Amino acid sequence: MSSRGLTLVALFWASCVLLYGQAGPANRQKVDPDAAQRGRALYLQYCINCHGTLARGTDQGPDLMRSVPV
């Protein structure tokens, strides 16, 4: 096999290893409980009236669950 072929094989395997280590759609993000509690308190104080209890939106505020920035 030529050196170019070996290089391509090495790049392929390196790519496979890197992609295998990535989180997939079934993996959930690890949540910091303290940060979640602070965020919950802020949402209840400032956001729940417009965005609703499940952040799905109301007549006064958009759906945050389908929001690109969120």
Side-chain angles (χ1 to χ4, degrees), residues 4-64:
R4 181 176 177 189
L6 289 174
T7 302
L8 289 175
V9 170
L11 286 173
F12 172 76
W13 283 109
S15 299
C16 290
V17 169
L18 289 174
L19 290 174
Y20 183 74
Q22 299 292 320
N27 297 4
R28 296 191 57 135
Q29 176 182 349
K30 295 195 186 333
V31 176
D32 176 14
D34 294 331
Q37 187 61 34
R38 289 190 307 271
R40 184 177 294 114
L42 288 171
Y43 186 83
L44 290 173
Q45 184 176 1
Y46 296 109
C47 309
I48 198 167
N49 292 331
C50 294
H51 298 288
T53 56
L54 298 176
R56 299 274 185 208
T58 65
D59 293 340
Q60 300 169 345
D63 183 350
L64 295 177

